[in-house]
Amino acid sequence: MKISVQAEPFDYGTLSNAFAQGHTHVGAVVTFCGIVRDDELGGLSTMEIEHYPGMTEKAINAHSQIAKNRFSLAEVLVIHRYGSLKPGEMIMMVATAAPHRNDAFQGAEFLMDYLKSRAPFWKKEIVNGEPRWVDAKPEDEDALSRW
Amino acid sequence: MIEVIYFAWVRERIGEARESHETSAKTVRDLIEELKHKEERYAVAFSDLSAIRVAIDQDLVDMDSSIENAKEVAFFPPMTGG
């Protein structure tokens, strides 16, 4: 398992490629990346991501371990950024490797659902110069019930 | 003495990121009542507990959890990661 909580950008292509190399019992790799999206027709200038150092790593580690056991994952990678990001920048990535593709897909979805509402990150958008905290969505909480 | 930590709009409403707090509270809920009586800004931040999440020593817990052995209690809004 590799987990990184960082301010710096990451190279999705290089990391995905490295993640998919060097396995002989893995038949499937799934990678996902989340990107800062402007829903405000150009009004979103910045997304600021705050987190709880220490708890963030602990929560991601715990959920990655659960995912690894539950979906028989051979390997897990989670990177999540914090700090000030612009629209189009990558916020986070998840990669899973498993013998079979269904487990790799499900493991990645499970991790995404848990990162959304159980990892201590908070997003603040600056829209047309006005800061506002992003509210958690009920459907993100509901998404956990399927696991 | 415990460390109380605030994040996101809870931190903004209270106006501090962390503080040491002498408490006789037994549970998270008691601690919140204690803080609300300190000053108005706490009462504002904790006016709607359905919008507050809490962690004890970096584990998510519920409002009725015991804080008796806690070193660090953190309050924050529902998380918005991913």
Side-chain angles (χ1 to χ4, degrees):
Chain A
M1 287 196 324
K2 183 180 173 246
I3 282 137
S4 175
V5 181
Q6 61 187 56
E8 305 74 38
F10 55 86
D11 186 332
Y12 183 57
T14 303
L15 289 165
S16 299
N17 203 30
F19 186 84
Q21 307 280 329
H23 309 281
T24 50
H25 300 287
V26 162
V29 163
V30 166
T31 59
F32 170 88
C33 86
I35 297 170
V36 179
R37 181 188 65 237
D38 179 10
D39 285 336
E40 303 291 337
L41 306 169
L44 177 72
S45 59
T46 308
M47 180 173 277
E48 289 171 5
I49 301 173
E50 178 176 338
H51 80 112
Y52 183 175
M55 179 174 169
T56 311
E57 292 81 355
K58 192 174 173 181
I60 298 176
N61 249 302
H63 288 111
S64 298
Q65 194 58 56
I66 294 168
K68 207 171 173 208
N69 296 340
R70 182 157 169 192
F71 301 100
S72 308
L73 303 177
E75 199 49 77
V76 174
L77 167 68
V78 179
I79 297 176
H80 204 302
R81 294 177 65 194
Y82 60 88
S84 194
L85 281 76
K86 302 286 176 207
E89 280 194 72
M90 292 181 193
I91 305 178
M92 53 88 61
M93 74 171 284
V94 160
T96 55
H100 302 288
R101 74 171 186 276
N102 196 37
D103 284 332
F105 275 120
Q106 287 215 331
E109 285 209 75
F110 171 91
L111 276 168
M112 283 310 308
D113 283 347
Y114 274 88
L115 285 171
K116 275 252 170 231
S117 42
R118 290 293 182 274
F121 290 99
W122 301 276
K123 293 185 182 126
K124 185 194 244 180
E125 295 175 332
I126 315 296
V127 176
N128 301 317
E130 293 290 319
R132 67 175 190 213
W133 290 99
V134 174
D135 285 328
K137 296 185 189 73
E139 55 265 38
D140 289 339
E141 193 63 32
D142 295 345
L144 300 183
S145 63
R146 68 175 165 141
W147 306 110
Chain B
M1 193 76 101
I2 55 167
E3 281 293 295
V4 188
I5 311 177
Y6 309 106
F7 290 98
W9 57 252
V10 181
R11 171 177 49 74
E12 289 181 345
R13 285 179 199 177
I14 288 171
E16 312 187 51
R18 63 163 61 223
E19 59 186 322
S20 296
H21 178 75
E22 189 69 56
T23 183
S24 56
K26 298 270 186 285
T27 67
V28 172
R29 210 179 284 281
D30 298 342
L31 173 63
I32 291 173
E33 282 310 309
E34 225 177 60
L35 291 168
K36 280 167 83 170
H37 283 95
K38 251 172 84 159
E39 275 178 59
E40 179 63 20
R41 57 197 167 106
Y42 293 91
V44 171
F46 290 115
S47 60
D48 176 11
L49 290 193
S50 71
I52 301 284
R53 300 291 176 270
V54 57
I56 293 178
D57 295 333
Q58 306 187 350
D59 285 318
L60 211 55
V61 296
D62 59 46
M63 293 291 172
D64 295 310
S65 299
S66 167
I67 60 162
E68 282 183 274
N69 297 310
K71 294 188 187 71
E72 186 173 298
V73 178
F75 293 105
F76 41 80
M79 295 158 270
T80 51

